[in-house]
Structure formats: structure tokens, C-alpha cells
Amino acid sequence: LAAALGSGEISLHPGVDREAETARLLALPGIGPWTAGYIRMRAMSDPDVFLPTDGGVLHAMRRLGHVSSAAASTDCPAPARPWRPWRPWRSYAVHHLWATLEQPTPLGETP
């Protein structure tokens, strides 16, 4: 990734063509969908990235009663994906889900 950034092969800033740069990221060894999505959210300022396989997101959604880990798969039927209506602000939803993990576990619930 550092070599691709240094050579200009990949550019990561808010004004880039997000689809093109994401494809370039995914073509690099060791960069998968979660990493590309996180970079897209943070470096490219994409407000609509959801990380359905992120451990924190899965834990927060289970804790909030929204989804089981099986339903979090992007392969599951659309009605089982509660994050779809959150478009075009799914990146913000991810941050809110992560923030719920900083709050104490409700009484009687296991973390």
C-alpha cells in the first residue's frame, strides 16, 4: 500500500473516484473488503460505508437486538440487513454502533 501511494498508483483523499480507488485497493495483496471499506470511510470521507463483518459492529448490533451474526452476512436476504435503510449515512451508523460498545452492559446482559 505504501509503495502504491508513493508511486501515485493509488490516491486516498476525499475528492478521489471512490469506486476506482477501492478497486485498486482490493487488487493489492493483503487488502480485503474490510480494510478497503475502512480506508474508504476514513481517508476518502465516504459517508456511506458499512462494515457488516466488523467484530465491533456485529457485537453492537447483537447487543442492541438488531441482528444475529448469521444475518450480518452480505449474502443474506435483503430484509435481514437492517443497515440498508441507513443509506446514505451508513458510515455514521458504524461510528454510533462502535460508540455503544463504550457504554456499560445493561444489567443482566453478558458482554
Side-chain angles (χ1 to χ4, degrees):
L1 176 57
L5 286 167
S7 71
E9 176 187 346
I10 290 181
S11 182
L12 303 178
H13 59 82
V16 299
D17 178 335
R18 293 177 184 141
E19 297 301 324
E21 297 305 320
T22 300
R24 288 184 187 97
L25 281 169
L26 290 169
L28 294 173
I31 303 289
W34 184 92
T35 304
Y38 189 81
I39 290 171
R40 187 172 172 142
M41 180 192 308
R42 296 293 193 158
M44 296 184 221
S45 298
D46 188 342
D48 195 34
V49 174
F50 194 74
L51 304 172
T53 62
D54 180 81
V57 167
L58 291 171
H59 182 68
M61 291 186 76
R62 277 193 304 269
R63 201 172 159 196
L64 296 169
H66 285 291
V67 68
S68 71
S69 56
S73 168
T74 54
D75 297 333
C76 73
R81 295 186 221 157
W83 59 83
R84 291 182 66 109
W86 300 341
R87 292 188 129 196
W89 308 110
R90 293 178 302 169
S91 295
Y92 297 98
V94 168
H95 288 276
H96 283 288
L97 288 166
W98 285 336
T100 68
L101 299 175
E102 297 173 4
Q103 299 170 11
T105 303
L107 189 60
E109 188 178 305
T110 56

